[in-house]
Amino acid sequence: MLDIETIIEQFERIEQKIEHVVQARKQLQKENEDLNNRIEQLENLIQEKAEAEKKNEELAALVRTKIDSLIGRLEGNTVE
């Protein structure tokens, strides 16, 4: 049969283990929050880069159209 002192020691060990689990959980929650924030930052960065790339493609298409137009005008004005 267990005496009261042994039972109290067991409860103290259980309390220590529970405290350890609680602290580990808090740390994991903090790390998870930090990772979620980083994911959000990276998603925003990807969105910004995608928008910049789209603008660059539109600009390149506009420049190509202007160049083609100028080349067409030059070819139309050549004297043979």
Side-chain angles (χ1 to χ4, degrees):
M1 185 170 192
L2 296 174
D3 64 1
I4 190 88
E5 192 171 304
T6 305
I7 293 172
I8 290 173
E9 287 175 4
Q10 288 178 348
F11 271 111
E12 288 175 352
R13 284 194 297 270
I14 291 169
E15 286 177 343
Q16 289 173 355
K17 289 179 182 180
I18 289 173
E19 182 60 30
H20 177 73
V21 169
V22 167
Q23 291 302 321
R25 181 176 182 268
K26 285 181 182 178
Q27 178 63 30
L28 290 172
Q29 285 177 322
K30 173 72 169 101
E31 290 175 14
N32 190 41
E33 183 180 327
D34 291 345
L35 290 172
N36 284 331
N37 288 338
R38 182 67 178 143
I39 287 169
E40 185 178 341
Q41 290 172 347
L42 292 172
E43 286 174 342
N44 289 338
L45 183 61
I46 288 170
Q47 182 65 29
E48 290 172 8
K49 289 189 180 244
E51 290 171 4
E53 185 176 320
K54 183 179 178 184
K55 286 180 182 178
N56 284 339
E57 289 172 359
E58 290 171 354
L59 179 59
L62 176 64
V63 168
R64 171 52 61 197
T65 301
K66 294 289 186 180
I67 290 172
D68 289 345
S69 174
L70 291 172
I71 290 172
R73 287 177 59 197
L74 286 172
E75 289 175 347
N77 288 332
T78 57
V79 177
E80 295 184 30

